[in-house]
Protein backbone atom coordinates (compact mmCIF):
# COMPACT_ATOMS: atom_id res chain seq x y z
CA UNK A 1 0.00 0.00 0.00
CA UNK A 2 1.26 3.51 -0.85
CA UNK A 3 0.05 6.21 1.47
CA UNK A 4 0.70 9.93 1.36
CA UNK A 5 0.68 11.58 4.77
CA UNK A 6 -0.51 15.17 4.41
CA UNK A 7 -0.33 17.42 7.47
CA UNK A 8 -2.68 20.40 7.39
CA UNK A 9 -4.77 18.36 4.96
CA UNK A 10 -7.91 20.45 5.42
CA UNK A 11 -6.11 23.71 4.65
CA UNK A 12 -5.68 25.43 1.29
CA UNK A 13 -2.47 23.73 0.18
CA UNK A 14 -3.05 20.49 2.10
CA UNK A 15 -6.49 19.87 0.61
CA UNK A 16 -5.26 20.44 -2.95
CA UNK A 17 -2.29 18.19 -2.24
CA UNK A 18 -4.65 15.49 -0.97
CA UNK A 19 -6.82 15.73 -4.11
CA UNK A 20 -3.81 15.67 -6.42
CA UNK A 21 -2.25 12.50 -4.97
CA UNK A 22 -5.65 10.84 -4.63
CA UNK A 23 -6.15 11.40 -8.37
CA UNK A 24 -2.85 9.61 -8.91
CA UNK A 25 -4.24 6.55 -7.13
CA UNK A 26 -2.53 6.91 -3.78
CA UNK A 27 -4.20 6.56 -0.39
CA UNK A 28 -4.27 9.72 1.69
CA UNK A 29 -3.78 9.98 5.43
CA UNK A 30 -4.74 13.52 6.40
CA UNK A 31 -3.76 15.11 9.69
CA UNK A 32 -5.43 18.35 10.75
CA UNK A 33 -6.85 19.53 14.06
CA UNK A 34 -8.59 22.66 12.69
CA UNK A 35 -6.04 24.86 14.40
CA UNK A 36 -7.05 27.46 11.83
CA UNK A 37 -10.25 28.14 13.80
CA UNK A 38 -8.06 28.87 16.81
CA UNK A 39 -5.80 31.19 14.82
CA UNK A 40 -8.50 33.16 12.97
CA UNK A 41 -11.86 32.39 14.61
CA UNK A 42 -14.67 29.94 13.92
CA UNK A 43 -15.41 31.53 10.54
CA UNK A 44 -11.99 30.42 9.33
CA UNK A 45 -12.48 26.79 10.35
CA UNK A 46 -11.34 24.19 7.84
CA UNK A 47 -13.79 21.63 9.18
CA UNK A 48 -16.05 21.82 6.11
CA UNK A 49 -13.00 21.22 3.93
CA UNK A 50 -12.19 18.10 5.95
CA UNK A 51 -15.77 16.89 5.55
CA UNK A 52 -15.58 17.50 1.80
CA UNK A 53 -12.39 15.45 1.53
CA UNK A 54 -13.89 12.62 3.56
CA UNK A 55 -16.98 12.64 1.36
CA UNK A 56 -15.33 12.95 -2.07
CA UNK A 57 -12.05 11.10 -1.72
CA UNK A 58 -12.76 7.41 -1.26
CA UNK A 59 -9.22 6.62 -0.11
CA UNK A 60 -8.88 9.55 2.31
CA UNK A 61 -8.74 8.93 6.04
CA UNK A 62 -8.47 11.68 8.60
CA UNK A 63 -6.79 12.00 11.96
CA UNK A 64 -7.60 14.96 14.15
CA UNK A 65 -4.19 15.33 15.68
CA UNK A 66 -1.98 18.25 16.69
CA UNK A 67 1.35 17.81 14.91
CA UNK A 68 3.06 19.09 18.06
CA UNK A 69 1.75 16.00 19.88
CA UNK A 70 4.95 13.99 19.66
CA UNK A 71 3.47 10.81 21.11
CA UNK A 72 0.52 11.01 18.74
CA UNK A 73 2.75 11.53 15.70
CA UNK A 74 5.11 8.73 16.71
CA UNK A 75 2.14 6.44 17.17
CA UNK A 76 0.95 7.32 13.65
CA UNK A 77 4.37 6.44 12.25
CA UNK A 78 4.36 3.16 14.17
CA UNK A 79 0.93 2.37 12.78
CA UNK A 80 1.69 3.13 9.12
CA UNK A 81 5.44 2.62 9.02
CA UNK A 82 6.72 1.53 5.64
CA UNK A 83 3.34 2.04 3.97
CA UNK A 84 4.10 5.77 3.97
CA UNK A 85 5.41 6.61 0.50
CA UNK A 86 5.51 10.38 0.92
CA UNK A 87 5.00 13.06 3.56
CA UNK A 88 3.80 16.53 2.62
CA UNK A 89 3.90 18.93 5.55
CA UNK A 90 1.61 21.94 5.23
CA UNK A 91 0.23 22.26 8.77
CA UNK A 92 1.27 25.70 9.94
CA UNK A 93 0.07 29.12 10.87
CA UNK A 94 -0.17 31.23 7.72
CA UNK A 95 0.56 34.92 8.09
CA UNK A 96 -3.01 35.98 7.36
CA UNK A 97 -6.48 34.73 6.54
CA UNK A 98 -6.93 34.00 2.83
CA UNK A 99 -10.72 34.21 2.70
CA UNK A 100 -12.06 36.99 0.43
CA UNK A 101 -12.70 40.18 2.35
CA UNK A 102 -10.79 39.08 5.40
CA UNK A 103 -7.78 41.04 6.59
CA UNK A 104 -7.45 39.33 9.94
CA UNK A 105 -3.98 39.26 11.42
CA UNK A 106 -2.88 37.06 14.25
CA UNK A 107 -2.14 38.76 17.54
CA UNK A 108 0.33 36.18 18.83
N1 LIG B 1 -1.46 29.57 0.55
C1 LIG B 1 -0.41 30.13 -0.02
O1 LIG B 1 -0.48 30.76 -1.10
C2 LIG B 1 0.96 29.95 0.61
C3 LIG B 1 2.08 30.46 -0.07
C4 LIG B 1 3.35 30.28 0.48
C5 LIG B 1 3.48 29.64 1.71
N2 LIG B 1 2.38 29.18 2.35
C6 LIG B 1 2.57 28.52 3.64
O2 LIG B 1 2.13 27.16 3.57
C7 LIG B 1 1.56 26.78 4.83
C8 LIG B 1 0.13 26.32 4.63
O3 LIG B 1 -0.61 27.37 4.03
P1 LIG B 1 -2.17 27.26 3.73
O4 LIG B 1 -2.52 28.43 2.91
O5 LIG B 1 -2.50 25.90 3.23
O6 LIG B 1 -2.73 27.46 5.21
P2 LIG B 1 -4.15 26.98 5.80
O7 LIG B 1 -4.40 27.76 7.04
O8 LIG B 1 -5.19 27.02 4.74
O9 LIG B 1 -3.87 25.44 6.15
C9 LIG B 1 -3.09 25.04 7.24
C10 LIG B 1 -3.83 23.90 7.91
O10 LIG B 1 -2.97 23.39 8.94
C11 LIG B 1 -3.77 23.09 10.06
N3 LIG B 1 -2.90 23.18 11.24
C12 LIG B 1 -2.27 24.27 11.72
N4 LIG B 1 -1.58 23.97 12.81
C13 LIG B 1 -1.77 22.64 13.04
C14 LIG B 1 -1.30 21.73 14.02
N5 LIG B 1 -0.50 22.14 15.03
N6 LIG B 1 -1.67 20.44 13.93
C15 LIG B 1 -2.47 20.00 12.93
N7 LIG B 1 -2.96 20.83 11.97
C16 LIG B 1 -2.61 22.12 12.03
C17 LIG B 1 -4.87 24.14 10.07
O11 LIG B 1 -6.03 23.72 10.79
C18 LIG B 1 -5.15 24.31 8.58
O12 LIG B 1 -6.22 23.48 8.14
C19 LIG B 1 1.68 28.01 5.75
O13 LIG B 1 2.91 27.93 6.46
C20 LIG B 1 1.75 29.17 4.75
O14 LIG B 1 2.39 30.30 5.33
C21 LIG B 1 1.13 29.32 1.84
Amino acid sequence: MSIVLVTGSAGLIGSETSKRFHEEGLDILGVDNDMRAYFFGEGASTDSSRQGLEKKLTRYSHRTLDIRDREGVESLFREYGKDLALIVHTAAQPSHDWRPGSHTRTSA
Side-chain angles (χ1 to χ4, degrees):
M1 195 177 0
S2 283
I3 301 173
V4 182
L5 168 59
V6 182
T7 72
S9 57
L12 188 63
I13 296 176
S15 59
E16 291 305 320
T17 301
S18 297
K19 290 177 206 164
R20 157 74 192 272
F21 284 110
H22 190 269
E23 271 173 23
E24 292 190 15
L26 293 154
D27 290 4
I28 312 297
L29 173 60
V31 171
D32 199 308
N33 67 346
D34 199 10
M35 196 76 185
R36 197 165 206 289
Y38 171 81
F39 293 144
F40 300 119
E42 276 307 314
S45 167
T46 51
D47 200 50
S48 61
S49 168
R50 172 190 60 79
Q51 289 175 31
L53 292 172
E54 288 182 313
K55 194 172 171 187
K56 289 180 193 148
L57 307 187
T58 55
R59 296 181 316 281
Y60 177 91
S61 43
H62 192 87
R63 290 295 171 93
T64 300
L65 174 70
D66 191 319
I67 56 160
R68 298 167 299 176
D69 174 357
R70 189 184 181 108
E71 266 304 307
V73 171
E74 284 180 350
S75 166
L76 207 60
F77 276 90
R78 276 195 299 274
E79 186 177 343
Y80 288 92
K82 290 180 180 161
D83 287 338
L84 292 177
L86 181 69
I87 299 167
V88 183
H89 173 55
T90 75
Q93 178 180 8
S95 58
H96 59 279
D97 193 354
W98 44 258
R99 290 170 302 145
S102 173
H103 303 286
T104 308
R105 289 215 169 260
T106 52
S107 54

